[in-house]
Amino acid sequence: MRIAELSRTSGVPAATIKYYVREGLLPSGVRTHHNQSDYNDEHVNRLRLIRALVDIGGLSVGTAKELLTVLDSGTMTARESLGHVLYALGARRSPVGDEQRDAATRDVASLLERRGWNITETSPARATLVDACAALRQIGHADVVEAIDSYAAASETIAATDMAVVAKKSSIEQMTETAIVGTVLGDTLLSALRRLAQEHVSATALPQD
Amino acid sequence: MRIAELSRTSGVPAATIKYYVREGLLPSGVRTHHNQSDYNDEHVNRLRLIRALVDIGGLSVGTAKELLTVLDSGTMTARESLGHVLYALGARRSPVGDEQRDAATRDVASLLERRGWNITETSPARATLVDACAALRQIGHADVVEAIDSYAAASETIAATDMAVVAKKSSIEQMTETAIVGTVLGDTLLSALRRLAQEHVSATALPQD
């Protein structure tokens, strides 16, 4: 199909499709006569994946590209591939709460020890967790940090579900795509579920006036 | 203190402080002679809260402003206040997966019924959840949607922890601030914990090669 039909089928404007091709998220179409390109169903599927990651998952185009590069690399084990996905989704936030950084580093190290989680020192999620704990302490909400064991237990249940869905796939590529989609769109799904559950729980847990 | 000292104490550039004042996130200082403004510790605390929400929580300045407006309104019950917070944090994503919208709407309605969650029709989190399920179905990952009961159960545990932290506060204003901070920075904290738990769980759940 030509770019006009690809645009119609996928709902993505032609200019945006060209942008994704330039940025390396979407493979080029096959050049035909008259300087036109021919696209196929794989382009439609890839476009839908990109839009889901960016529009629903809230990813930047740069992060989406990193994840798609992992997906396309095709030479890793499932664990290596998941590691690359998790690292691409890592923290790039400006740290705040510098004065509380030592306390927050201890918060995280002792949590990991209590839970027996074996995490590499360079894990970006570990750095994000330290950032979040430092910021919470600095703005006077150490009480949220003190609830971290309960949050970690729930997160382990969630991760077990994640990995059960991933492990059912029959190829590394399918596992990697499921890990990407499940983590990115899963974050959106989980934060929506959390707000709905808060609305439900608040009906009994909060004072009425 | 003058703006230069406020900037030094909070680590926020003076131009950004002026921007937050213009946008209504930060109260003006008290005008003194020579057209200068005088700021106090409350400005320092408010600036730290803004930076935590924006830098660590990843909020837009517009959403941060909506939340601070709820915090400053001071005329609501705890539940009303939480409702306003949850709605301000609602969905403003472009929906994708339109073809799957009916199925996704049923996914969410039946989940809410199974869990006995009483949620208003206009809940933005409900709309986000439908968006996420529609997108997952469209890109061929209905398997993630099928795991939604497990995710919802974990989310209810998380929400119960959230509300227990909020309910300990002694004033509506403190409850509101805790709900804002716990929900926004909590999202960052929870997504980091999920990635760490995935790294831990993947060591046993995924094939080694």
Side-chain angles (χ1 to χ4, degrees), chain A residues 38 61 86 95 113 122 162 168 173-174 191 193 201 206 208:
Chain A
D38 190 50
V61 168
L86 293 178
E113 199 180 318
T122 54
D162 295 338
K168 272 189 202 144
E173 195 197 343
Q174 286 181 345
S191 83
L193 284 170
V201 173
L206 290 190
Q208 302 296 307

Side-chain angles (χ1 to χ4, degrees), chain A residues 23-24 26 39 47 58 61 73 110 128 157 203 209:
Chain A
E23 292 292 320
L26 184 72
Y39 299 90
L47 269 176
V61 168
S73 65
S110 63
T128 303
T157 308
D209 51 20

Side-chain angles (χ1 to χ4, degrees), chain A residues 143 150-151 161-162 187 195, chain B residues 150-151 161-162 169 187 195:
Chain A
D143 46 356
S150 167
Y151 291 133
T161 304
D162 295 338
D187 276 352
R195 285 154 180 59
Chain B
S150 167
Y151 291 132
T161 303
D162 295 337
K169 298 295 170 177
D187 276 351
R195 285 154 181 60

Side-chain angles (χ1 to χ4, degrees), chain A residues 167-179:
Chain A
K168 272 189 202 144
K169 300 292 170 179
S170 54
S171 74
I172 303 285
E173 195 197 343
Q174 286 181 345
M175 285 187 185
T176 305
E177 185 176 308
T178 305

Side-chain angles (χ1 to χ4, degrees), chain A residues 8-32:
Chain A
R8 222 170 21 246
T9 309
S10 64
V12 179
T16 306
I17 293 173
K18 289 177 183 166
Y19 170 69
Y20 291 152
V21 171
R22 278 201 312 277
E23 292 292 320
L25 283 80
L26 184 72
S28 314
V30 178
R31 286 279 165 151
T32 58

